[in-house]
């Protein structure tokens, strides 16, 4: 079997539209840009721009929290996350309570965008604080003497095995839950505004909307966590030189490596997961939202070099068409340093 050429690796990279769809910062910029026609015409509090502003702000918060979760070492991400959350919250309070005079001093054309920018920061800071709450909850659950550990590989002469907990869910479903939560908060808050049912004192302080967003967001967030806990499964995944065995709650499926067309192994972060694509066996197991036992982190161990070599050697030849093994998808620029996911795809020679 011949070695994969640079052109093969280039073809195996994820399409640009997939990278766009999975980048919250791009969607945040799009949502906020769409509000400009209303904002510049002093109609920023209409239903459509109001909801777009809240969703765009929420996506900014998602992008920031995701960035801190990818930081290494983990301690640095925690420090940046907590520090920015504290500073942003303080700036928001000061700006809302004493920034009226500053806004009135601005040119009229800038007043609307600045006010809408403040409004967008409310869900962004709300999501950032929820992320801090999640980190604090994780620390509170940590045993006093035994540190939380990542699941480990168990190696023998024929293969490697790892056991973990996961929820059968695709990453886009997780993002869909997030978008639905943001939309729900936006709709619930916009109803009294549209019906002129908001007290005058409340309209003068966007912090009221911030508190309302938190109150509205917490119940559905807890429902989502409860659903994930109920759907959590015990998973055993074993790799050998010829195939893999996936066992979910005692039900096993064996898949030859030669039939696997794509494998995603994301070890940490909000996207920690395993994705396996093969004829008749497409599975996506999300680790980050699963309910884990005490002392266990919501992570996966790094993929073994031995396993990667087995994937590279899993080529087949049928009907005159030669399929090479699964090759790693290469990322260019700084994205490769930030993204914890390892993606393997099959190429044709």
């Amino acid at each position: 079997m011949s070695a994969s050429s640079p052109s093969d690796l280039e073809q195996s990279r994820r399409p640009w539209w997939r990278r766009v769809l999975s980048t919250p910062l791009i969607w945040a910029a799009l949502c906020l840009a769409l509000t400009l026609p209303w904002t510049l015409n002093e109609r920023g509090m209409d239903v459509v721009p109001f909801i777009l502003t809240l969703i765009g702000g929420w996506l900014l918060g998602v992008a920031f929290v995701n960035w801190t979760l990818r930081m290494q070492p983990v301690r640095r991400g925690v420090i940046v996350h907590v520090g920015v959350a504290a500073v942003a919250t303080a700036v928001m309070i000061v700006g809302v309570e004493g920034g009226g005079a500053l806004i009135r001093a601005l040119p009229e054309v800038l007043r609307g965008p600045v006010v809408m920018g403040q409004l967008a920061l409310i869900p962004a800071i709300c999501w950032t604080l929820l992320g801090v709450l999640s980190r604090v909850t994780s620390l509170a659950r940590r045993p006093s003497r035994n540190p939380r550990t990542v699941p480990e590989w168990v190696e023998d002469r024929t293969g490697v095995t790892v056991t973990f907990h996961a929820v059968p869910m695709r990453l886009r479903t997780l993002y869909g839950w997030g978008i639905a939560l943001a939309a729900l908060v936006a709709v619930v808050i916009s109803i009294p505004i549209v019906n002129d049912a908001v007290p005058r004192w409340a309209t003068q302080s966007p912090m009221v909307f911030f508190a309302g967003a938190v109150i509205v967001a917490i119940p559905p967030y807890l429902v989502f966590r409860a659903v994930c806990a109920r759907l959590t499964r015990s998973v055993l995944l074993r790799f050998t030189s010829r195939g893999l065995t996936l066992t979910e709650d005692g039900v096993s499926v064996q898949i030859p490596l030669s039939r696997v067309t794509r494998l995603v192994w994301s070890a940490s972060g909000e996207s920690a997961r395993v994705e396996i694509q093969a004829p008749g066996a497409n599975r996506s197991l999300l680790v980050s939202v699963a309910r884990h036992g005490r002392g266990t982190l919501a992570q996966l161990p790094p993929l073994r070099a031995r396993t990667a070599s087995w994937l590279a050697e899993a080529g087949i030849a049928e009907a005159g068409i030669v399929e090479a093994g699964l090759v790693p998808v290469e990322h260019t620029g700084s994205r490769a340093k930030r993204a914890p996911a390892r993606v393997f795809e099959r190429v044709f020679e």
Side-chain angles (χ1 to χ4, degrees):
M1 180 173 56
S2 63
S4 298
S5 64
S7 61
D8 293 330
L9 292 176
E10 183 67 28
Q11 292 175 0
S12 67
R13 292 174 181 168
R14 296 178 68 192
W16 66 268
W17 57 269
R18 284 189 178 181
R19 296 196 296 272
V20 169
L21 290 177
S22 60
T23 305
L25 195 59
I26 294 178
W27 288 103
L30 178 61
C31 288
L32 296 177
L34 290 175
T35 65
L36 287 178
W38 284 278
T39 302
L40 296 177
N41 287 280
E42 300 182 355
R43 297 180 57 188
M45 299 304 289
D46 287 358
V47 175
V48 173
F50 184 83
I51 292 178
L52 286 175
T53 299
L54 292 181
I55 293 178
W58 167 74
L59 289 171
L60 286 176
V62 171
F64 171 74
V65 173
N66 291 354
W67 176 61
T68 62
L69 289 174
R70 290 192 295 263
M71 283 186 174
Q72 295 296 331
V74 176
R75 183 183 304 174
R76 180 187 302 170
V78 173
I79 294 174
V80 173
H81 189 168
V82 175
V84 171
V87 172
T89 302
V91 170
M92 172 61 74
I93 294 174
V94 173
V96 169
E97 297 300 329
L102 178 62
I103 293 177
R104 287 191 295 270
L106 293 174
E108 186 174 353
V109 69
L110 295 179
R111 294 176 187 175
V114 170
V115 172
M116 298 306 289
Q118 284 186 326
L119 185 62
L121 286 179
I122 292 176
I125 296 175
C126 180
W127 187 260
T128 302
L129 293 176
L130 284 175
V132 172
L133 178 62
S134 177
R135 289 184 184 271
V136 172
T137 303
S138 298
L139 291 175
R141 291 178 179 175
R142 180 178 298 177
S144 57
R145 294 184 179 179
N146 300 322
R148 301 179 73 186
T149 58
V150 179
E152 296 181 353
W153 292 103
V154 177
E155 188 170 1
D156 54 40
R157 286 186 292 180
T158 60
V160 291
T161 306
V162 65
T163 303
F164 55 92
H165 289 86
V167 175
M169 181 185 297
R170 297 196 175 276
L171 192 59
R172 61 173 176 263
T173 303
L174 175 62
Y175 290 147
W177 274 88
I179 293 173
L181 176 60
L184 174 64
V185 172
V187 170
V188 171
I189 293 179
S190 65
I191 289 176
I193 296 176
V194 172
N195 293 295
D196 293 329
V198 180
R200 185 175 180 181
W201 61 267
T203 60
Q204 298 175 353
S205 177
M207 290 304 299
V208 174
F209 296 104
F210 174 78
V214 173
I215 294 173
V216 174
I218 287 179
Y221 175 76
L222 295 177
V223 170
F224 172 73
R225 296 298 302 177
V227 171
C228 290
R230 185 176 182 84
L231 295 177
T232 296
R233 298 183 180 181
S234 177
V235 181
L236 184 146
L237 183 59
R238 176 175 174 79
F239 286 96
T240 67
S241 60
R242 299 181 63 87
L244 63 87
T245 302
L246 179 64
T247 304
E248 300 180 43
D249 285 346
V251 180
S252 298
V253 176
Q254 294 184 349
I255 307 173
L257 292 185
S258 60
R259 307 307 301 172
V260 177
T261 58
R262 190 169 189 264
L263 175 71
V264 178
W265 189 272
S266 181
S268 61
E270 87 291 342
S271 62
R273 70 195 188 282
V274 178
E275 291 184 11
I276 302 170
Q277 292 185 12
N282 291 335
R283 301 297 295 159
S284 177
L285 301 171
L286 203 56
V287 177
S288 59
V289 297
R291 185 175 186 177
H292 299 272
R294 291 181 62 86
T296 304
L297 289 170
Q299 297 180 12
L300 292 169
L303 197 64
R304 290 287 186 89
R306 181 183 180 187
T307 305
S309 66
W310 287 338
L311 295 173
E313 295 169 0
I316 60 175
E318 293 182 355
I321 300 177
V322 178
E323 291 186 18
L326 293 161
V327 299
V329 175
E330 300 292 337
H331 296 284
T332 59
S334 60
R335 181 180 176 83
K337 299 179 181 179
R338 301 195 309 267
R342 296 189 65 183
V343 182
F344 297 84
E345 293 182 350
R346 188 172 300 281
V347 297
F348 294 89
E349 295 185 344

